Amino acid sequence: MEDLAVTAGVRPKPDFWAGKRVLLTGHTGFKGAWLSIWLRRLGADVTGISLPPETTPSLFSLARPQLAASHFQDIRDATKLAELVRAASPDIVLHLGAQALVRRSYQDPLGTFATNVLGTANLLEAVRRAPSVRVVVAVTTDKVYRNLEHVFPYRETDLLGGYDAYSASKAAAEIVISSYRDSFLREKGVAVASARAGNVIGGGDWSADRLLPDAVRAWQSGQVLHVRRPKAKRPWQHVLEPLSAYLVLAERLWSDLALADAYNFGPVSHEAAPVRQVIDIARASYGGGEVRYGDGNEGPHEAGWLALETAKALHMLNIEPRWSLTEAVDRTMKWYRAQHDGADARALCEFEIADYEARP
């Protein structure tokens, strides 16, 4: 393994990505749309596979990422998915396609398990039969751990589990990823890693039951924001932090198969913050907004405490966050305000990406 004692704050390299054929699942989602824009900026040829955008508006529809091909295809259909993977002949696969909402998983547990577990298996089986693929980064979540509500941050070696169907399905997906890596893909020279990212915020997310999108919807319409669990702590981070990590991880896997493993990506563990603190920053940035806090007992079960240990990402990959919580929230709220006032969504994303790339 190469010497990792390099300058902190490594970032994606345009000379690596230029001309690479990248297959991106989930490209119509919030993170997927941001990543599509960044990959094209880096010079990659991107093929997207996803369901159509689920929200109106959506970042994908507003920003119109420039892709080599865009396919609206359910990853639960193994035959059609394999055909698209084979036709794309990708060098690198970035798997973001998922049912990504906790509360929806209570409403549709079978659909959640089918998409997140079987969909991941379908993709890896297609990769197994695609000779072009050299790297796979499969994105799961910070919620894959068996949450004991203790004060210690979770490490990659901790037990997997999940109370709700979303968390359980992502934990199961981790087992599928590990199995395919060990049973099939490593011996073929394909580097497969999983990425467990903390709670992501940023402009362009209009999903239901997410804190800042809910705040924006409420405050833009002059309504009161209802917050169910103000004391719940999460590892919040701007969307560009994990996306940068996925790209850097793929770069490192390309040259070092031994790095194929699971990685946490998020803020340093002591910077996990309660919901109330995030809302306080958001209100200050937005310029006001009414909030009504619940007592923490409303709705289905959600973990009260979650923090990630990110030392492995720092020491093995030289990845560390660039933006503080305050800056991440402030940038998110300013993005929404600018877009609401008529600014072009893709231009706003391009500006944020350029600023992130320029940050020491």
Side-chain angles (χ1 to χ4, degrees):
M1 188 178 300
E2 63 185 88
D3 181 10
L4 299 180
V6 295
T7 304
V10 65
R11 64 202 67 192
K13 298 180 177 65
D15 58 349
F16 172 86
W17 290 98
K20 288 287 192 306
R21 297 186 306 276
V22 178
L23 177 67
L24 173 62
T25 69
H27 69 295
T28 64
F30 163 54
K31 289 168 69 176
W34 273 94
L35 189 52
S36 298
I37 295 167
W38 202 346
L39 283 165
R40 286 299 301 138
R41 177 182 173 86
L42 292 167
D45 293 323
V46 183
T47 295
I49 298 175
S50 182
L51 295 175
E54 292 191 346
T55 64
T56 302
S58 74
L59 182 58
F60 178 81
S61 299
L62 292 175
R64 307 173 305 283
Q66 298 173 327
L67 307 180
S70 175
H71 303 284
F72 293 160
Q73 175 59 52
D74 194 325
I75 61 175
R76 292 175 293 185
D77 187 327
T79 301
K80 291 185 178 179
L81 178 61
E83 291 173 356
L84 292 175
V85 172
R86 186 166 53 252
S89 188
D91 304 306
I92 296 170
V93 175
L94 302 175
H95 177 41
L96 278 66
Q99 193 299 94
L101 299 175
V102 171
R103 287 170 70 87
R104 184 183 295 175
S105 77
Y106 281 101
Q107 301 161 5
D108 183 18
L110 290 181
T112 299
F113 280 109
T115 297
N116 294 349
V117 185
L118 187 57
T120 297
N122 288 341
L123 178 66
L124 293 175
E125 181 64 18
V127 166
R128 179 187 174 197
R129 303 180 185 283
S132 64
V133 179
R134 185 161 162 179
V135 168
V136 178
V137 175
V139 175
T140 59
T141 176
D142 57 350
K143 298 174 180 63
V144 297
Y145 297 105
R146 181 181 177 188
N147 196 318
L148 303 175
E149 298 284 353
H150 56 46
V151 297
F152 306 107
Y154 291 96
R155 297 177 295 178
E156 289 86 348
T157 53
D158 285 334
L159 289 175
L160 301 177
Y163 184 102
D164 56 85
Y166 169 72
S167 302
S169 70
K170 285 294 193 173
E174 284 280 353
I175 296 172
V176 170
I177 294 162
S178 177
S179 174
Y180 265 86
R181 177 174 56 231
D182 295 341
S183 297
F184 306 114
L185 296 175
R186 192 190 302 274
E187 66 184 22
K188 293 169 63 70
V190 181
V192 181
S194 60
R196 305 167 180 176
N199 284 46
V200 174
I201 59 177
D205 185 4
W206 282 280
S207 300
D209 299 318
R210 285 186 177 160
L211 184 63
L212 294 188
D214 284 350
V216 168
R217 276 188 288 265
W219 297 341
Q220 283 182 348
S221 60
Q223 302 298 311
V224 176
L225 171 66
H226 296 271
V227 177
R228 299 185 304 274
R229 291 177 171 83
K231 296 181 180 179
K233 283 191 175 183
R234 296 289 186 270
W236 310 94
Q237 59 183 331
H238 191 275
V239 63
L240 294 183
E241 303 279 18
L243 297 188
S244 176
Y246 305 159
L247 295 172
V248 171
L249 174 57
E251 293 175 18
R252 297 299 306 278
L253 292 171
W254 186 270
S255 59
D256 193 346
L257 182 63
L259 290 172
D261 206 347
Y263 294 90
N264 289 339
F265 297 124
V268 292
S269 57
H270 68 272
E271 291 184 353
V275 167
R276 185 184 286 268
Q277 181 180 346
V278 175
I279 289 299
D280 287 344
I281 299 169
R283 290 183 69 214
S285 176
Y286 191 79
E290 292 189 59
V291 185
R292 182 176 301 157
Y293 292 107
D295 59 8
N297 296 316
E298 181 184 347
H301 173 274
E302 293 184 52
W305 168 272
L306 179 58
L308 296 178
E309 174 57 72
T310 57
K312 181 178 178 181
L314 175 60
H315 292 290
M316 299 296 290
L317 305 172
N318 210 34
I319 291 171
E320 62 179 349
R322 284 197 182 88
W323 290 344
S324 67
L325 174 64
T326 298
E327 185 167 7
V329 176
D330 184 60
R331 285 177 175 274
T332 298
M333 301 308 290
K334 287 179 177 176
W335 193 104
Y336 281 113
R337 292 207 68 150
Q339 190 276 328
H340 185 258
D341 290 341
D344 179 75
R346 189 164 74 195
L348 290 171
C349 294
E350 293 272 8
F351 175 83
E352 293 282 358
I353 293 169
D355 204 26
Y356 186 87
E357 291 174 331
R359 183 67 60 92

